[in-house]
Every structure is written in structure tokens, then in C-alpha cells.
């Protein structure tokens, strides 16, 4: 039997609630489709930081490298560890070290879910650059606390980095409805964003079957609200993609539905799957977190592992359950109730 080795990093807050839910569902899918998921759990988190002075061991990245995929819940517990410390100690280094340069985030309404918009017919795939740009971590501070204090944080856009994410976007568009929207702010940022626009234009020659538009981030934010149905694949830099995908989450009914995959496309290192939402300390451990985003992210993991049928079955089970009105409203059903319903649905598909 084929066994996939999965590193589970529940992390902090509701990361713990939703990781257990997703791991459970994926295990049911594995049983049904004749493969095995072997989970190894890593308690790396803000709690771990308080005991060890780091978010993960020094050889954490090397430990993870041996896995087929990583499933992560959420990182952050600002009451004890500043976010900039916890995120730069765990989540962001994994994305960078494993060259997970394509962060894929689907935005569409699941059956039964009512978003805030009039338009229900949108199906957007956001592709966020995930390793450089505004998140490069290049910068510094001087004269801290003094009147002449200076903070500098430089965005870095490399030709190879921009080219690979744009090509990834073109390929995704080709496999979907054939339209790519590239998002920049080249009217104001005259070096990096003009460069990104030029690369988009240049590469478009290699994808004659894909129609391309370039938009500015501000106009894009409005379009996602006013005409989301006009969008297919959207590609953006790290920070712009981060912001647009919270907007995407909002129009799809909330962060409880927003799934994501951090993909290393050449498969030289493991990819990582995680819901878009954070650790939500205010609702952690109360059995009220919506596990749908995490379970959907798990389906994306199965897809990446080549378990296409199992991935489709998990997604179909989620859709059947939300279609029956379960898990569609914040606080409506408990994490355990939603998880049990999706599990029962998966098992029932089997009998059908
Ligand atoms: C996300 C999150 C992270 C990001 C934070 C927690 C650093 O907001 O995955 O969207 O900005 O990438
Ligand atoms: Mn975000």
C-alpha cells in the first residue's frame, strides 16, 4: 500500500482544533481509497518557544525535508510571543526554505454558504508569490527610540522569482478558463512593479491561449467586490496576494472557508498545506472554529500527493455538508459536529 509521510504542525490556537479535524477526515479518505497517511506530529508553536527559546529546533527544516507533505494549522500567540518572532521562526522559513513559491488560494462560494455579495457565481484562483517581494526580510532599523529613528524594509523582486510565479499563473489559467490577471502597482512603484508588468507582457507570448490583463492592486480590490465573476486566475506579489486573499476569504463567506496550498512546483522539497486563517486566540479550544478551510486544504494536499479521487471525495463531502446548512455560519455548529458530518458523508459516499 502506498504510504504518504505527513508532517503535522498544529501550531497555536485554533490551529490545534482544525488540524485534528482535518487529519481525521483525511485518514478516512485514505482508508477508503487504499493508501495510507502516516502522520508525525511536531508540537512546534509559541508554547514550544516558551520552553526552548525558538519556534522549532535548529534542524527543524532538515527534519521536515524528509516528508512528502506538511500540514500546518496556524502559527501565532501574540499574548506570549510577538507575531513577527513566531512567524519568522516557523511559517515563513518553511515557505522559503522549501521553495514553496506558489501559494494557491481558491475563492468560491461553497453550496449553502451565503457571502456578503450579490454575485454568487465567482470562482477565483489566487496565486500569491510566496518567497520574496515584500516578505524578503531585507532591511534594518537604526537609532531605535531616538527622534532620528529609521526603519527600512526592502522588497526584492528577482527575475527568476517573478518569472516562475508568472509562468505558474499562466499554466493554472491554461488549465482553467484561460484568463490571467496580473496585479501590481506600477503606476506608483516604478521599478519592481514596472518590471513585473514587463515580465507579464513578455511571457504572455509563450501562452497565446491565455488572455492576460494587468491591473493595479487598488482597482483589483474593487473588482473583487464589484465583479468577482469576471476573474479567473489572479497572480500577485507576496503582500498584495496576502491582502487580496483575505478579501477573497471575505467574499467566500469568511476565513473559515479559505484554503491554501504552499506549493514547491518542482517537488524538490515538500509542499505545505494550511488554512488561510490564523490562530484566532479568542475562539481557540472552544470547539467553535470552522474546520472547513483546513479540511479543504487537506483535500488540496491529497491532490498534490496524486490521490486525485480521494481529494475529490473530500471536497464533495464538504460540499454536501455545507449544502445541508452545516458549518455555514460562524458559531452555528461546533467543530466536532461539522467534522463528524463530513466524515459521515465520506463514509456514506462509499456505501452509495
Ligand atoms: C497568511 C498569513 C501569513 C502571511 C502571516 C501569518 C505571516 O496572513 O498566510 O496569509 O502573511 O503570509
Ligand atoms: Mn494573510
Amino acid at each position: 500500500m502506498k504510504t504518504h509521510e505527513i508532517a503535522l504542525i498544529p501550531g497555536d490556537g485554533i490551529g490545534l482544533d482544525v488540524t485534528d479535524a482535518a487529519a481525521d477526515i483525511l485518514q478516512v479518505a485514505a482508508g477508503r481509497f487504499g493508501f495510507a497517511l502516516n502522520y508525525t506530529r511536531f508540537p512546534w508553536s509559541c508554547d514550544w518557544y516558551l520552553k526552548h527559546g525558538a519556534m522549532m529546533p535548529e534542524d527543524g527544516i532538515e527534519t521536515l525535508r524528509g516528508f512528502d507533505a506538511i500540514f500546518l494549522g496556524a502559527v501565532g500567540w501574540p499574548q506570549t510571543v510577538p507575531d513577527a518572532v513566531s512567524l519568522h521562526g516557523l511559517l515563513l522559513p518553511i515557505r522559503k526554505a522549501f521553495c514553496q513559491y506558489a501559494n494557491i488560494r481558491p475563492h468560491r462560494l461553497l453550496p449553502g454558504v451565503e457571502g456578503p455579495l450579490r454575485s454568487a457565481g465567482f470562482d477565483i484562483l489566487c496565486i500569491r508569490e510566496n518567497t520574496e517581494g515584500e516578505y524578503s526580510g531585507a532591511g534594518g532599523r537604526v537609532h531605535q527610540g531616538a527622534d532620528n529613528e529609521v526603519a527600512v524594509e526592502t522588497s526584492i523582486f528577482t527575475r527568476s522569482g517573478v518569472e516562475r510565479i508568472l509562468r505558474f499563473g499562466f499554466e493554472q489559467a491554461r488549465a482553467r478558463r484561460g484568463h490571467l490577471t496580473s496585479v501590481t502597482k506600477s503606476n506608483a512603484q516604478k521599478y519592481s512593479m514596472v518590471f513585473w508588468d514587463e515580465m507579464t507582457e513578455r511571457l504572455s507570448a509563450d501562452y497565446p491561449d491565455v488572455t492576460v490583463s494587468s491591473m493595479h492592486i487598488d482597482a483589483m480590490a474593487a473588482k473583487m467586490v464589484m465583479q468577482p465573476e469576471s476573474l479567473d486566475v489572479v497572480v500577485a506579489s507576496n503582500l498584495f496576494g496576502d491582502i487580496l486573499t483575505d478579501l477573497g476569504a471575505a467574499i467566500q463567506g469568511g476565513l473559515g472557508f479559505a484554503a491554501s496550498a504552499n506549493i514547491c512546483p518542482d517537488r524538490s522539497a515538500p509542499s505545505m498545506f494550511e488554512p488561510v486563517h490564523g490562530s484566532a486566540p479568542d475562539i481557540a479550544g472552544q470547539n467553535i472554529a470552522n474546520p472547513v478551510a483546513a479540511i479543504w486544504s487537506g483535500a488540496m494536499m491529497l491532490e498534490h500527493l496524486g490521490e486525485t479521487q480521494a481529494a475529490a471525495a473530500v471536497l464533495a463531502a464538504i460540499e454536501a455538508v455545507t449544502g445541508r446548512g452545516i458549518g455555514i455560519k460562524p458559531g452555528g455548529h461546533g467543530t466536532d459536529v461539522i467534522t463528524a458530518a463530513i466524515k459521515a458523508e465520506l463514509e456514506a459516499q462509499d456505501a452509495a
Side-chain angles (χ1 to χ4, degrees), residues 80-124:
T80 57
V81 182
D83 280 340
V85 171
S86 59
L87 275 318
H88 280 280
L90 185 56
L91 176 70
L92 300 174
I94 296 174
R95 289 178 179 169
K96 287 179 189 171
F98 294 147
C99 237
Q100 297 166 348
Y101 65 81
N103 189 325
I104 308 180
R105 298 181 164 184
H107 301 296
R108 64 183 170 83
L109 284 168
L110 291 171
V113 178
E114 271 181 41
L117 304 183
R118 259 173 310 175
S119 171
F122 59 89
D123 180 355
I124 305 171

Side-chain angles (χ1 to χ4, degrees), residues 75-76 83 87-88 91-92 95 103 105 128 130 135 238-239 241-243 245-246 260 262 274-278:
V75 179
D83 280 340
L87 275 318
H88 280 280
L91 176 70
L92 300 174
R95 289 178 179 169
N103 189 325
R105 298 181 164 184
R128 164 185 179 188
N130 214 28
Y135 281 47
N238 212 332
L239 179 62
D242 176 46
I243 298 166
T245 54
D246 256 41
S260 102
N262 302 272
E274 51 162 344
V276 175
H277 64 67

